[in-house]
Amino acid sequence: MFDSSRRGRSTINHYEKEFMFFHVQRLINEIPTDEPNPAAANALQEGLGGQFGEMRTMMQYLFQSFNARGDAKPYKDLIQGVGIEEISHVELIATTINHLLDGSSRYQGNGNGKAKAGRSEKVPGAGGGTPLSEALNVPNIHHLLVAPQCALPVDAAGNPWSGSYVYASGNLTLDLLYNLMLEATGRLQKCRLYEMSDNKTFRATVSFLIVRDHAHEMVFAKALESLGVNWGKTLPIPNFEARDWPEVKKLMDQGIHLKQHHFRLDGSEMGAVFQGSSPANDGTELEATEEAPDGFPIEDLPERPEEFAPG
Ligand code: MN3
């Protein structure tokens, strides 16, 4: 994601006292192409705007890091590093929902076959056609009615995301316990989502998030372990052979469940906590990485004349 040669100390020193975020126009994981699937898109809304979704993890960890007090800097850096990664998860899952919705109206710019002779075939609904009739069949009509075949900040039942989901008590042990519960529930729900569709677009993102939730369970479990907790054989939650799922196995074989990056240009002390044997007690070793992931290109969405977007 970042070229380390461009990440010299002089540039960093300029920002050292600031609190700000930088963005690279890349996705944290690849989204393969498959057929649109508005039902799978709606299921995935739970992972975006649900009580245990990516919007919640992003806001919870950012608020915990904004509100941190005292000198527990490695713990603050750890929570903040995960929080910044969560911004990219929100982007990944919203973009995946967009790909699963885009084109679900099946409108291919031909006036839905009802264009009168002499009228432009590019005019949506020409001649009284109904290029958006699919909206009456999808699980959440807002995906086509309120948004232009795109993601919404809601859960799979259409409930708006709520700031009251965010837990940031200021007590480090309590916050870490809650974060572990949040990651474990997120992973549980994504494992259920995996079993709902084999659409390649859907599966790639769900599998990546299962593996990163695994890593984040390790992050918060390791931090709690450093404060005195012994996990035994409890982790990860849910505890099953995730390598049985080929998309998940491919990511775990790359060690993506054991790495954590901080996404900070000015360095991080998270490695003081996130290192050594995994709290899963499976013989694996944790790694706090200095090099951010390279990321994957973000495809622009095409124009959708039947949604009058962008025009
Ligand atoms: Mn996440």
Side-chain angles (χ1 to χ4, degrees), residues 54 57 85-86 89 183 190 209 212-213 216:
E54 303 297 338
T57 54
E85 180 184 343
E86 299 295 355
H89 290 187
E183 292 292 340
K190 277 150 201 152
L209 295 173
R212 289 311 295 160
D213 283 359
H216 293 165

Side-chain angles (χ1 to χ4, degrees), residues 3-134:
D3 176 357
S4 55
S5 63
R6 286 189 281 121
R7 207 175 0 168
R9 289 300 303 176
S10 57
T11 315
I12 292 161
N13 286 342
H14 178 70
Y15 300 118
E16 208 136 72
K17 297 281 188 285
E18 317 273 344
F19 200 87
M20 59 168 78
F21 294 96
F22 295 86
H23 176 65
V24 176
Q25 193 69 28
R26 302 274 289 174
L27 282 175
I28 199 159
N29 197 50
E30 200 167 18
I31 302 177
T33 304
D34 202 342
E35 288 294 301
N37 187 330
N42 192 57
L44 211 44
Q45 283 284 165
E46 193 66 27
L48 174 62
Q51 189 180 355
F52 301 94
E54 303 297 338
M55 291 178 70
R56 195 262 183 97
T57 54
M58 170 181 77
M59 294 299 269
Q60 180 154 317
Y61 307 154
L62 290 180
F63 270 91
Q64 286 176 1
S65 68
F66 298 153
N67 297 353
R69 295 177 186 273
D71 61 357
K73 188 166 184 301
Y75 295 93
K76 176 186 169 170
D77 284 1
L78 192 75
I79 291 167
Q80 188 174 74
V82 180
I84 296 169
E85 180 184 343
E86 299 295 355
I87 302 174
S88 71
H89 290 187
V90 170
E91 178 180 54
L92 178 70
I93 202 165
T95 305
T96 305
I97 290 169
N98 292 351
H99 283 294
L100 288 167
L101 289 170
D102 187 58
S104 57
S105 60
R106 305 289 177 189
Y107 177 69
Q108 302 299 332
N110 61 7
N112 214 20
K114 292 183 182 171
K116 284 178 185 159
R119 291 198 62 176
S120 165
E121 293 202 329
K122 293 289 179 197
V123 176
T130 54
L132 284 177
S133 60
E134 186 58 21

Side-chain angles (χ1 to χ4, degrees), residues 223-241:
L224 284 159
E225 198 175 88
S226 75
L227 298 171
V229 177
N230 182 347
W231 293 107
K233 291 287 178 191
T234 309
L235 300 170
I237 299 168
N239 201 341
F240 71 109
E241 191 39 82

